[in-house]
């Protein structure tokens, strides 16, 4: 089976904020029903063609869950529900393994590394494994690993999600407090250590 293209968003872009929120709630309920039906009726190996790659039905349900958690955080900020959900180990594992690897492979060419250059970075949140990224001219990798070495700098998050291309969310209904838009991260405050040697360096 195959998902629809992004042209499906066009009707929603024309809705008012109130109608868009109503459609969002209605489709969340529909998504819940579809995910439950897929778990009940489909083999776990059933393939779904999605944005140029093939995934399984369980992956798709988990990914939709992750998207809802991340973008709820975009709207609400660090409330108790968001922090508890973002700290779930499956969130980090899904982001690193299921999402990070394909995106890293796609973005490696933008680094424009020289033949003898190699990029290495560690993203760290206290109390959890590091997210380790590596890339050279032919390969790219992302994995979880035990913390190693002191952080070299502290990450400064962007003021919005322009770096990931995420659409600005609709204005919440009247009477709902809206926090400033937050960066797409999902692991809380983090520090980063990077190493990109220039050609000829050891």
């Amino acid at each position: 089976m195959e998902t629809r293209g992004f042209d499906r968003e066009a009707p929603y872009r024309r809705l008012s904020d109130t109608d868009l929120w109503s459609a969002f709630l209605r489709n969340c309920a529909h998504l819940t029903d579809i995910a439950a039906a897929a778990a009940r009726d489909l083999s776990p190996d059933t393939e779904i063609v999605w944005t140029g790659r093939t995934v399984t039905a369980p992956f798709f349900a988990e990914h939709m869950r992750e998207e809802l958690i991340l973008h709820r955080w975009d709207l609400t900020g660090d409330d108790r529900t968001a922090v508890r959900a973002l700290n779930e180990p499956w969130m980090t594992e899904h982001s690193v393994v299921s999402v990070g690897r394909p995106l890293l492979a796609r973005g490696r060419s933008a680094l424009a590394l020289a033949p003898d250059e190699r990029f290495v970075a560690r993203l760290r949140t206290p109390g959890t494994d590091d997210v380790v990224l590596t890339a050279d001219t032919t390969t790219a990798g992302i994995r979880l690993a035990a913390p190693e070495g002191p952080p070299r700098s502290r990450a400064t998050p962007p003021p919005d999600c322009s770096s990931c291309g995420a659409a600005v969310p609709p204005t919440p209904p009247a009477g709902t407090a809206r926090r400033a838009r937050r960066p797409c991260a999902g692991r809380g405050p983090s520090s980063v250590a990077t190493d990109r040697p220039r050609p000829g360096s050891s």
Side-chain angles (χ1 to χ4, degrees), residues 69 72-73 76-88 186:
I69 290 172
R72 180 192 180 279
W73 179 55
T76 66
D78 295 327
D79 66 0
R80 183 177 302 177
T81 299
V83 171
R84 183 172 61 248
L86 292 168
N87 281 337
E88 290 289 338

Side-chain angles (χ1 to χ4, degrees), residues 186-200:
R187 286 174 58 84
S190 62
S191 52
V192 58
T194 62
D195 182 13
R196 181 177 173 174
R198 301 308 304 170

Side-chain angles (χ1 to χ4, degrees), residues 51-173:
T51 62
R53 57 184 293 205
T54 300
V55 300
T56 63
F59 163 91
F60 200 77
E62 183 175 88
H63 188 66
M64 293 301 96
R65 183 184 177 198
E66 181 198 48
E67 288 284 322
L68 290 170
I69 290 172
L70 283 175
H71 294 299
R72 180 192 180 279
W73 179 55
D74 283 339
L75 294 172
T76 66
D78 295 327
D79 66 0
R80 183 177 302 177
T81 299
V83 171
R84 183 172 61 248
L86 292 168
N87 281 337
E88 290 289 338
W90 73 265
M91 281 284 292
T92 301
E93 183 175 353
H94 182 88
S95 298
V96 169
V97 177
S98 300
V99 179
R101 287 175 181 170
L103 290 180
L104 184 63
R106 185 186 305 175
R108 176 178 52 81
S109 60
L111 291 173
L113 295 172
D116 56 351
E117 281 188 299
R118 186 169 185 265
F119 173 88
V120 180
R122 282 179 175 262
L123 304 177
R124 178 169 302 162
T125 296
T128 68
D129 286 340
D130 287 357
V131 178
V132 182
L133 302 96
T134 58
D136 55 30
T137 56
T138 59
T139 62
I142 183 170
R143 61 187 174 87
L144 297 172
E148 180 180 310
R152 299 186 185 180
S153 62
R154 192 163 189 82
T156 301
D160 54 38
C161 285
S162 58
S163 60
C164 71
V168 175
T171 303

